[in-house]
Amino acid sequence: MENLDCFKENLRELMEINNYTVKDISLKTGIKTSTIYAYLNDKHIPDLTRAIKIAEVFNCSLEFLFGFTEDFTPKKYKLASTANDRFKKVLADRKITRYRIHILTKISQNQLCAWFQDKQTPTLISLVTVAKALDCSLDYLAGRDEI
């Protein structure tokens, strides 16, 4: 997924601009240095919780971190909701069924149902897919509100 490919470049750039080392990011986020190296070497992408921690270190949006926008204006966010609750809210506000999301995204109905019932948190890849399909902000869908 092309937006996820932007992650490592944007993370590298943010680290360089802020003069942060991998160890600095590790200390600020609680993420192991080996995991951060894996992100930078394109071996893994972060899960939603870790992506939010990284975005918080740089006061940036998930939108910027994953290449949905080139606008890097430092902003503070608060975690106002869970991704599951935001997913439910977006569906209700837009009057869209889980079945319709399944058709638009090809995410399994079982997985969507698990999110809806708070049995599973969406993966970052799934959340990106839903955000694109619904043309909504990844930050909003992840439960982050700008302060």
Side-chain angles (χ1 to χ4, degrees):
M1 207 172 243
E2 75 184 54
N3 291 98
L4 298 178
D5 294 339
C6 295
F7 172 74
K8 73 174 181 176
E9 283 87 15
N10 289 344
L11 177 56
R12 259 185 228 282
E13 184 177 349
L14 288 167
M15 288 172 65
E16 187 176 311
I17 289 168
N18 290 280
N19 240 358
Y20 287 163
T21 64
V22 168
K23 187 173 181 176
D24 294 331
I25 302 302
S26 177
L27 290 171
K28 290 177 182 294
T29 61
I31 300 169
K32 292 180 183 178
T33 56
S34 60
T35 302
I36 295 168
Y37 278 117
Y39 300 155
L40 292 169
N41 292 318
D42 214 13
K43 296 187 190 267
H44 297 289
I45 59 164
D47 61 21
L48 182 58
T49 302
R50 289 180 178 148
I52 289 171
K53 286 179 181 180
I54 292 168
E56 286 173 352
V57 166
F58 297 107
N59 293 321
C60 72
S61 67
L62 293 172
E63 300 288 316
F64 174 78
L65 198 56
F66 288 96
F68 283 97
T69 182
E70 292 183 18
D71 175 32
F72 174 67
T73 306
K75 299 175 183 171
K76 295 269 188 189
Y77 291 85
K78 67 176 179 177
L79 201 54
S81 180
T82 66
N84 298 64
D85 287 340
R86 250 332 135 76
F87 176 66
K88 292 177 216 175
K89 181 172 177 18
V90 169
L91 292 184
D93 290 350
R94 296 186 181 199
K95 297 178 175 52
I96 296 175
T97 64
R98 291 188 309 253
Y99 180 72
R100 181 74 181 138
I101 296 297
H102 161 69
I103 296 300
L104 291 170
T105 65
K106 306 297 186 245
I107 296 171
S108 79
Q109 291 185 63
N110 287 341
Q111 191 174 9
L112 294 170
C113 187
W115 298 350
F116 204 79
Q117 296 174 348
D118 295 321
K119 293 181 178 177
Q120 181 183 47
T121 301
T123 65
L124 185 60
I125 292 171
S126 296
L127 213 58
V128 166
T129 303
V130 172
K132 281 183 173 183
L134 295 177
D135 193 30
C136 70
S137 159
L138 182 57
D139 287 286
Y140 180 78
L141 203 52
R144 297 177 83 211
D145 288 340
E146 195 176 328
I147 300 176

